[in-house]
Amino acid sequence: MNNIELIKKIEELEQLEKAADKAQQEYEAEPENVEKERAFDSAYKKEFSAYISAAKELERLSGGKINFCTAKKLIQTRRSELIELLKAL
């Protein structure tokens, strides 16, 4: 995977985060609704999987210079700067 593919992965993560947030709001509005709970669980699992996958890929692309924990932190707190850096490389 290259920088462009990682950017796409991060952008996909953003979409999954929005979907999980929406599913969470719907579930919180109807906490007794089993279908809403399942939808939220599924959306959250997809979001988390994409997040971990992007962090692992960032660690791999850096040749280990960015460790997994730092990669996760960068994706969470410095995402736009990370994307700009990846575009510049």
Side-chain angles (χ1 to χ4, degrees), residues 6-74:
L6 179 55
I7 292 168
K8 288 179 183 176
K9 216 174 228 216
I10 293 170
E11 289 171 347
E12 178 184 339
L13 170 60
E14 290 174 346
Q15 295 304 313
L16 292 170
E17 288 170 339
K18 290 176 185 174
D21 288 346
K22 183 177 184 234
Q24 181 178 5
Q25 290 172 351
E26 290 175 1
Y27 173 54
E28 287 174 352
E30 295 182 57
E32 301 298 320
N33 186 319
V34 175
E35 290 303 315
K36 301 275 184 193
E37 180 180 13
R38 285 186 189 137
F40 169 59
D41 287 344
S42 176
Y44 179 75
K45 286 176 184 175
K46 289 177 185 176
E47 174 193 353
F48 187 74
S49 178
Y51 170 57
I52 296 302
S53 177
K56 286 181 178 179
E57 186 56 27
L58 180 55
E59 178 183 33
R60 187 194 70 73
L61 278 175
S62 75
K65 291 178 182 163
I66 299 173
N67 67 32
F68 179 70
C69 290
T70 302
K72 290 191 316 181
K73 187 175 181 178
L74 286 170

